[in-house]
Amino acid sequence: MNDRGQSIFDAPAVPSWWVPDGQDEQESTVGYGEMMDAMRTLQERITTAVLDATLVAEVTRDLEDLSRRLGPSVTGQESGRSDELVGNVLGRGQTLIPPIEIVAEGETWLEARIHFGNYYRGSNGAVHGGTIPLVFDDVLGRLSLSGNRPVARTAYMHVDFRSITPVGRLLTLEARFEREEGRKRCVRGWLRDGERLCAEAEALFVQLRPGQP
Protein backbone atom coordinates (compact mmCIF):
# COMPACT_ATOMS: atom_id res chain seq x y z
CA MET A 1 0.00 0.00 0.00
CA ASN A 2 1.25 3.50 -0.72
CA ASP A 3 0.80 6.47 1.58
CA ARG A 4 -2.61 7.14 0.03
CA GLY A 5 -3.90 3.71 1.04
CA GLN A 6 -3.97 2.39 -2.52
CA SER A 7 -2.27 -0.80 -3.68
CA ILE A 8 0.38 -0.09 -6.28
CA PHE A 9 -0.84 -3.16 -8.17
CA ASP A 10 -4.36 -1.75 -8.54
CA ALA A 11 -3.43 1.82 -9.44
CA PRO A 12 -3.87 2.94 -13.05
CA ALA A 13 -0.70 3.73 -14.95
CA VAL A 14 0.21 7.31 -15.78
CA PRO A 15 2.03 8.30 -19.01
CA SER A 16 5.27 6.33 -19.24
CA TRP A 17 7.52 9.28 -19.99
CA TRP A 18 6.59 12.39 -21.97
CA VAL A 19 5.28 13.66 -25.29
CA PRO A 20 7.33 16.44 -26.95
CA ASP A 21 5.88 19.94 -26.89
CA GLY A 22 3.61 20.61 -29.82
CA GLN A 23 3.26 16.91 -30.66
CA ASP A 24 -0.27 15.53 -30.74
CA GLU A 25 -0.32 12.60 -28.31
CA GLN A 26 -2.79 10.48 -30.27
CA GLU A 27 -1.12 11.13 -33.60
CA SER A 28 2.34 10.34 -32.23
CA THR A 29 1.40 6.96 -30.77
CA VAL A 30 -1.15 5.43 -33.14
CA GLY A 31 -0.35 1.73 -33.35
CA TYR A 32 3.19 2.09 -31.97
CA GLY A 33 2.39 0.62 -28.56
CA GLU A 34 0.79 -2.41 -30.18
CA MET A 35 3.84 -2.84 -32.40
CA MET A 36 6.13 -2.73 -29.34
CA ASP A 37 3.93 -5.31 -27.60
CA ALA A 38 4.22 -7.57 -30.63
CA MET A 39 7.99 -7.11 -30.65
CA ARG A 40 8.25 -7.98 -26.95
CA THR A 41 6.11 -11.07 -27.53
CA LEU A 42 8.45 -12.10 -30.35
CA GLN A 43 11.50 -11.62 -28.12
CA GLU A 44 9.84 -13.67 -25.39
CA ARG A 45 8.88 -16.48 -27.79
CA ILE A 46 12.38 -16.68 -29.31
CA THR A 47 13.88 -16.79 -25.82
CA THR A 48 11.64 -19.58 -24.54
CA ALA A 49 11.04 -21.68 -27.69
CA VAL A 50 12.75 -24.93 -28.64
CA LEU A 51 13.58 -24.31 -32.31
CA ASP A 52 14.62 -26.70 -35.03
CA ALA A 53 16.76 -25.68 -38.00
CA THR A 54 13.79 -25.35 -40.37
CA LEU A 55 11.89 -22.96 -38.09
CA VAL A 56 15.04 -20.95 -37.39
CA ALA A 57 15.54 -20.48 -41.14
CA GLU A 58 11.90 -19.42 -41.65
CA VAL A 59 11.98 -16.91 -38.80
CA THR A 60 15.30 -15.52 -40.02
CA ARG A 61 13.87 -14.94 -43.51
CA ASP A 62 10.81 -13.19 -42.04
CA LEU A 63 12.95 -10.94 -39.86
CA GLU A 64 15.25 -10.09 -42.76
CA ASP A 65 12.19 -9.22 -44.86
CA LEU A 66 10.89 -6.88 -42.13
CA SER A 67 14.31 -5.22 -41.92
CA ARG A 68 14.30 -4.62 -45.68
CA ARG A 69 10.79 -3.10 -45.52
CA LEU A 70 11.85 -0.75 -42.73
CA GLY A 71 15.10 0.22 -44.47
CA PRO A 72 13.71 3.12 -46.57
CA SER A 73 12.29 4.73 -43.41
CA VAL A 74 15.53 4.70 -41.43
CA THR A 75 17.03 8.09 -40.65
CA GLY A 76 20.45 8.99 -39.32
CA GLN A 77 18.98 11.89 -37.36
CA GLU A 78 17.92 11.45 -33.74
CA SER A 79 15.17 14.06 -33.86
CA GLY A 80 11.98 13.04 -35.63
CA ARG A 81 12.51 9.31 -35.22
CA SER A 82 9.53 7.24 -34.11
CA ASP A 83 11.04 6.39 -30.73
CA GLU A 84 11.54 10.10 -30.05
CA LEU A 85 7.83 10.81 -30.56
CA VAL A 86 6.27 8.09 -28.41
CA GLY A 87 7.43 8.95 -24.92
CA ASN A 88 4.09 7.94 -23.45
CA VAL A 89 4.42 4.35 -24.72
CA LEU A 90 5.69 1.86 -22.13
CA GLY A 91 9.44 1.54 -22.43
CA ARG A 92 9.52 4.84 -24.37
CA GLY A 93 9.23 2.98 -27.65
CA GLN A 94 12.35 0.88 -27.03
CA THR A 95 12.26 -2.86 -26.40
CA LEU A 96 15.62 -2.66 -24.66
CA ILE A 97 13.83 -1.16 -21.65
CA PRO A 98 11.29 -3.43 -19.91
CA PRO A 99 7.74 -2.02 -19.79
CA ILE A 100 7.74 0.13 -16.63
CA GLU A 101 4.36 1.43 -15.49
CA ILE A 102 4.51 4.62 -13.45
CA VAL A 103 1.47 4.54 -11.16
CA ALA A 104 2.01 7.68 -9.07
CA GLU A 105 4.55 10.49 -8.92
CA GLY A 106 5.31 13.91 -7.54
CA GLU A 107 8.24 16.31 -7.69
CA THR A 108 10.27 14.33 -5.13
CA TRP A 109 8.96 10.75 -5.40
CA LEU A 110 7.78 8.11 -7.85
CA GLU A 111 6.09 4.69 -7.64
CA ALA A 112 6.07 2.12 -10.43
CA ARG A 113 5.46 -1.54 -11.19
CA ILE A 114 7.49 -3.70 -13.53
CA HIS A 115 7.38 -7.21 -14.93
CA PHE A 116 10.51 -8.89 -16.28
CA GLY A 117 9.77 -11.55 -18.89
CA ASN A 118 12.11 -14.38 -19.84
CA TYR A 119 13.80 -12.14 -22.39
CA TYR A 120 15.50 -10.49 -19.39
CA ARG A 121 16.38 -13.76 -17.63
CA GLY A 122 19.95 -14.46 -16.55
CA SER A 123 19.75 -17.99 -15.11
CA ASN A 124 17.78 -20.05 -12.60
CA GLY A 125 14.69 -17.85 -12.87
CA ALA A 126 16.55 -14.66 -11.95
CA VAL A 127 16.60 -11.41 -13.90
CA HIS A 128 19.94 -10.68 -15.60
CA GLY A 129 21.94 -8.43 -13.28
CA GLY A 130 22.75 -5.97 -16.05
CA THR A 131 19.08 -5.22 -16.67
CA ILE A 132 18.43 -3.89 -13.17
CA PRO A 133 20.80 -0.88 -13.41
CA LEU A 134 19.19 -0.09 -16.78
CA VAL A 135 15.77 0.09 -15.13
CA PHE A 136 17.05 2.19 -12.25
CA ASP A 137 18.77 4.57 -14.65
CA ASP A 138 15.56 5.04 -16.63
CA VAL A 139 13.32 5.61 -13.61
CA LEU A 140 15.75 7.68 -11.52
CA GLY A 141 16.53 9.74 -14.61
CA ARG A 142 12.84 10.52 -14.99
CA LEU A 143 12.63 11.65 -11.39
CA SER A 144 15.73 13.81 -11.79
CA LEU A 145 13.78 15.85 -14.36
CA SER A 146 10.72 16.33 -12.16
CA GLY A 147 9.45 19.82 -11.45
CA ASN A 148 10.33 20.89 -15.01
CA ARG A 149 14.05 20.78 -14.20
CA PRO A 150 16.43 21.11 -17.16
CA VAL A 151 17.88 18.01 -18.79
CA ALA A 152 20.55 16.13 -16.81
CA ARG A 153 22.68 13.06 -17.46
CA THR A 154 23.80 10.21 -15.25
CA ALA A 155 27.15 10.98 -13.66
CA TYR A 156 27.24 8.13 -11.15
CA MET A 157 25.06 5.20 -10.11
CA HIS A 158 25.68 2.54 -7.48
CA VAL A 159 23.43 -0.55 -7.31
CA ASP A 160 23.33 -3.02 -4.42
CA PHE A 161 21.81 -6.42 -5.24
CA ARG A 162 20.12 -7.49 -2.01
CA SER A 163 18.38 -10.67 -3.23
CA ILE A 164 17.35 -12.44 -6.43
CA THR A 165 15.05 -10.44 -8.70
CA PRO A 166 12.59 -13.02 -10.08
CA VAL A 167 11.40 -13.36 -13.65
CA GLY A 168 7.65 -13.47 -14.24
CA ARG A 169 6.45 -11.59 -11.15
CA LEU A 170 4.94 -8.12 -10.83
CA LEU A 171 7.46 -6.09 -8.86
CA THR A 172 7.37 -2.61 -7.33
CA LEU A 173 9.87 0.17 -7.75
CA GLU A 174 10.05 3.30 -5.61
CA ALA A 175 12.26 6.33 -6.13
CA ARG A 176 12.94 9.42 -4.04
CA PHE A 177 14.61 12.72 -4.92
CA GLU A 178 17.09 13.14 -2.06
CA ARG A 179 18.65 16.56 -2.62
CA GLU A 180 19.83 19.12 -5.17
CA GLU A 181 23.11 21.02 -5.00
CA GLY A 182 23.63 23.42 -7.88
CA ARG A 183 23.71 21.29 -11.02
CA LYS A 184 23.86 18.06 -9.01
CA ARG A 185 20.76 15.95 -8.26
CA CYS A 186 20.88 12.96 -5.93
CA VAL A 187 18.20 10.28 -6.32
CA ARG A 188 17.62 6.85 -4.73
CA GLY A 189 15.49 3.85 -5.71
CA TRP A 190 14.29 0.49 -4.35
CA LEU A 191 13.09 -2.59 -6.29
CA ARG A 192 10.94 -5.05 -4.33
CA ASP A 193 9.17 -8.38 -4.73
CA GLY A 194 6.40 -7.90 -2.20
CA GLU A 195 8.12 -7.03 1.08
CA ARG A 196 11.47 -8.45 -0.04
CA LEU A 197 14.08 -5.96 -1.21
CA CYS A 198 15.68 -7.15 -4.44
CA ALA A 199 17.95 -4.19 -5.21
CA GLU A 200 18.51 -0.57 -4.30
CA ALA A 201 20.35 2.23 -6.07
CA GLU A 202 21.73 5.67 -5.49
CA ALA A 203 22.55 7.94 -8.39
CA LEU A 204 23.92 11.36 -9.20
CA PHE A 205 22.58 13.27 -12.19
CA VAL A 206 24.24 16.47 -13.40
CA GLN A 207 22.41 19.20 -15.27
CA LEU A 208 23.81 19.84 -18.73
CA ARG A 209 25.46 23.16 -19.50
CA PRO A 210 24.01 25.24 -22.34
CA GLY A 211 24.91 23.58 -25.64
CA GLN A 212 26.22 20.43 -23.96
CA PRO A 213 25.03 17.22 -25.72
Side-chain angles (χ1 to χ4, degrees):
M1 302 290 284
N2 58 26
D3 57 7
R4 290 165 302 287
Q6 182 183 41
S7 169
I8 193 172
F9 297 111
D10 298 329
V14 299
S16 177
W17 196 249
W18 51 268
V19 176
D21 292 339
Q23 180 70 32
D24 183 276
E25 181 174 353
Q26 294 299 320
E27 178 183 345
S28 69
T29 60
V30 170
Y32 202 97
E34 290 79 1
M35 183 176 69
M36 289 297 97
D37 287 343
M39 184 65 185
R40 287 193 176 94
T41 298
L42 175 63
Q43 291 176 159
E44 190 80 0
R45 295 283 171 83
I46 290 176
T47 300
T48 56
V50 178
L51 303 172
D52 59 31
T54 300
L55 187 52
V56 167
E58 292 176 357
V59 171
T60 300
R61 284 195 298 270
D62 289 342
L63 292 176
E64 290 174 342
D65 180 59
L66 285 173
S67 294
R68 283 192 295 270
R69 291 167 59 187
L70 289 169
S73 301
V74 171
T75 175
Q77 302 298 318
E78 189 166 321
S79 61
R81 296 186 330 193
S82 295
D83 68 341
E84 290 292 306
L85 302 176
V86 290
N88 58 335
V89 171
L90 292 180
R92 295 190 287 120
Q94 303 174 10
T95 56
L96 174 67
I97 303 171
I100 304 165
E101 290 187 293
I102 310 298
V103 297
E105 62 182 331
E107 288 195 11
T108 60
W109 58 275
L110 180 154
E111 294 179 348
R113 57 195 174 209
I114 180 171
H115 175 276
F116 292 95
N118 278 285
Y119 179 71
Y120 300 100
R121 180 175 57 82
S123 61
N124 296 328
V127 173
H128 191 292
T131 305
I132 295 169
L134 171 67
V135 167
F136 274 126
D137 191 46
D138 197 62
V139 172
L140 299 183
R142 173 183 175 120
L143 187 56
S144 77
L145 303 180
S146 62
N148 295 316
R149 291 180 174 86
V151 174
R153 290 197 183 278
T154 314
Y156 163 88
M157 185 168 63
H158 177 85
V159 178
D160 287 313
F161 299 90
R162 299 302 188 185
S163 62
I164 293 299
T165 299
V167 168
R169 289 179 59 83
L170 191 58
L171 311 175
T172 61
L173 197 156
E174 300 174 50
R176 295 290 181 271
F177 198 116
E178 296 281 287
R179 64 187 183 278
E180 187 169 17
E181 302 170 357
R183 295 168 54 224
K184 298 179 179 179
R185 304 168 195 169
C186 298
V187 191
R188 295 191 66 189
W190 300 266
L191 178 66
R192 292 186 174 89
D193 177 19
E195 297 296 320
R196 181 170 58 84
L197 181 62
C198 299
E200 58 184 322
E202 59 177 3
L204 170 65
F205 293 84
V206 177
Q207 180 181 324
L208 299 183
R209 298 183 186 278
Q212 185 177 354

